[in-house]
Amino acid sequence: MNSPAPLLPGSTLGVLGGGQLGRMLAIVARRMGYRIVAWTDGPDAGPADLADEVVAEAFSSPEALAAFLAKAEAATVEFENIPQSLLDAVAERIPLLPGAASVAVCQHREREKRFLERAGLPRVRFSVVSDPSELRTALATLPESGGILKTAEFGYDGKGQLAVSADSDPDSVWTGFAGSRAVLEERIDLAAELSVLVVRDRRGGMLAYDPVENFHRDHILDLSLAPARLEPRILDEARSIALAAAEALDYRGILAVEFFLAGDGQLLVNEMAPRPHNSGHHTIDACDTSQFEQQLRVLCGLAPGSTRLHSPAAMLNLLGDVWIAAGGCPDWASVAALPGAHLHLYGKHEARRGRKMGHLTFTAPSLGEALAAQARAREILGIPAAAI
Ligand SMILES: Nc1ncnc2c1ncn2[C@@H]1O[C@H](COP(=O)(O)OP(=O)(O)O)[C@@H](O)[C@H]1O
Ligand SMILES: [Mg+2]
């Protein structure tokens, strides 16, 4: 690939999506002297308010596309559920990183699983189902641990997922399931969950961050720990699988690869995200270069920065539940007094249960100290103890 001249500070970068990932990219862009135009797909653009310009129109609007393209010199995504036709239309006019084909794989569970199969990467056993009779056949193959039915498209934070077992009635499951095509996965007996962020530049040069250990509650990420407390053999394997996935996708930008570590010691790829990832938020405070700066660097054709973890870190997600428990503004003053606390709030106006409103990263000389500080924050904020 012929590399065009890098986009230097002063350039305007386009972001598709209006959530917190675009907001954190905008913060880096401002620091480095770039401008951001964010296209939000609608009027509710709380997190996008840090962009220099916001196109608050639906992704289907041709006028909005024209306005976006008139300003952006290159574009990226902060959210994978962007219509393919829009990705193609943007990529026709300006550089789009990651490319539309990579986003297409990561936004659709069936395509993603088929990609993993083709690339020979370890994944959860699955069947694709599109009606009750296919579901009946697929349910019969489930092990005793049961399975999880997941919508092929538009799922996130456990939305569009249903726990099922070999005895479930396919007709009633299908009627209660919002989706026309789904993937039925075997439920894995999880020893751990981890994720690896890979940066792949325009020439195909790659770097990986240290794997992160993740804990979920109600299918939503609750806590991430860096470094992960797992055997070096597992960490090395996760890193090499993530690099192989980025290579096989011919990826450009920052890619997150989520893994399950099964009880029998096998590592399986769960899913991939074609963008910065919630489990990489610690990189802002604990690594030489944040995942958002890497996204900007690759988009602009600058060299990726060092991925070194300079400080152990524990990242705690702040869901709307925290505001609801406090009956208003949580006690940030007490949280700020904890050692190594870095508070990040996303500017969302309405706190709803399960909605990601911000996160807290605790950096410390040791992971044990970071864990102790996050446990204190949970007590202050009324967040249940982590399942560590
Ligand atoms: N097959 C599975 N076996 C065991 N746990 C699962 C399985 N699929 C999902 N989970 C749990 O649910 C979480 C969210 O599921 P995931 O497929 O990553 O969807 P999302 O797009 O919502 O992140 C996982 O991180 C894991 O904790
Ligand atoms: Mg996930």
Side-chain angles (χ1 to χ4, degrees):
M1 179 167 151
N2 242 343
S3 295
L7 289 173
L8 297 176
S11 308
T12 300
L13 309 173
V15 180
L16 296 169
Q20 63 266 19
L21 301 177
R23 177 187 180 93
M24 289 183 265
L25 175 65
I27 291 172
V28 171
R30 285 187 175 245
R31 169 167 62 75
M32 292 178 68
Y34 288 87
R35 294 175 55 78
I36 292 276
V37 50
W39 185 359
T40 58
D41 190 30
D44 179 22
D49 61 4
L50 285 183
D52 298 271
E53 287 178 74
V54 176
V55 179
E57 309 289 333
F59 284 150
S60 54
S61 159
E63 295 77 30
L65 175 63
F68 182 77
L69 290 173
K71 289 172 182 145
E73 294 166 71
T76 188
V77 302
E78 64 95 59
F79 168 66
E80 57 271 37
N81 295 326
I82 313 275
Q84 271 302 302
S85 54
L86 175 55
L87 294 171
D88 291 337
V90 170
E92 236 171 62
R93 295 273 307 277
I94 56 177
L96 174 72
L97 275 80
S102 294
V103 179
V105 168
C106 300
Q107 75 182 181
H108 193 281
R109 285 193 198 271
E110 179 185 349
R111 283 199 286 264
E112 185 171 64
K113 299 220 185 270
R114 302 249 183 256
F115 158 78
L116 294 169
E117 261 178 351
R118 275 199 311 279
L121 300 173
R123 71 251 153 227
V124 180
R125 276 220 321 211
F126 70 98
S127 326
V128 176
V129 294
S130 55
D131 62 36
S133 108
E134 286 176 6
L135 180 59
R136 182 181 306 277
T137 312
L139 285 170
T141 68
L142 283 181
E144 212 161 281
S145 59
I148 302 183
L149 189 65
K150 301 182 177 181
T151 169
E153 289 181 278
F154 306 123
Y156 69 99
D157 288 347
K159 293 188 174 65
Q161 298 193 12
L162 201 64
V164 291
S165 75
D167 310 326
S168 302
D169 172 45
D171 294 301
S172 56
V173 167
W174 197 252
T175 314
F177 186 72
S180 55
R181 200 165 174 83
V183 167
L184 179 64
E185 281 179 14
E186 201 169 280
R187 181 184 285 280
I188 304 299
D189 159 33
L190 295 174
E193 291 192 69
L194 54 160
S195 53
V196 177
L197 281 167
V198 175
V199 190
R200 193 162 184 272
D201 68 24
R202 291 182 180 202
R203 295 202 189 91
M206 289 197 284
L207 292 172
Y209 284 86
D210 288 337
V212 170
E213 190 180 348
N214 298 320
F215 298 87
H216 293 79
R217 179 188 305 279
D218 300 331
H219 298 267
I220 303 175
L221 184 67
D222 174 44
L223 176 69
S224 291
L225 305 181
R229 304 162 307 167
L230 298 164
E231 282 172 47
R233 173 192 72 79
I234 296 195
L235 302 181
D236 288 347
E237 194 184 328
R239 209 180 274 114
S240 51
I241 293 169
L243 290 167
E247 182 88 51
L249 276 172
D250 195 17
Y251 197 81
R252 298 288 186 276
I254 184 140
L255 176 73
V257 183
E258 293 180 22
F259 292 90
F260 294 148
L261 177 63
D264 63 3
Q266 232 205 318
L267 258 183
L268 303 164
V269 175
N270 169 26
E271 60 172 354
M272 303 182 294
R275 50 167 171 77
H277 193 258
N278 195 169
S279 67
H281 288 354
H282 70 288
T283 61
I284 300 173
D285 302 300
C287 292
D288 286 349
T289 314
S290 77
Q291 59 174 349
F292 301 99
E293 181 168 340
Q294 304 285 24
Q295 183 184 25
L296 180 142
R297 282 173 173 251
V298 177
L299 180 60
C300 295
L302 304 177
S306 154
T307 56
R308 184 181 69 104
L309 181 74
H310 58 65
S311 175
M315 190 287 308
L316 170 62
N317 260 340
L318 299 171
L319 305 181
D321 308 54
V322 168
W323 280 252
I324 294 168
C329 187
D331 182 4
W332 300 128
S334 299
V335 168
L338 295 171
H342 305 272
L343 177 63
H344 299 255
L345 296 176
Y346 307 149
K348 296 186 184 178
H349 304 304
E350 194 196 339
R352 292 192 296 268
R353 286 205 188 281
R355 186 179 200 205
K356 290 174 181 170
M357 303 287 289
H359 70 269
L360 265 168
T361 299
F362 292 93
T363 52
S366 71
L367 187 59
E369 289 158 277
L371 272 169
Q374 69 83 37
R376 281 284 302 124
R378 284 175 192 272
E379 287 166 18
I380 294 167
L381 297 171
I383 307 174
I388 45 177

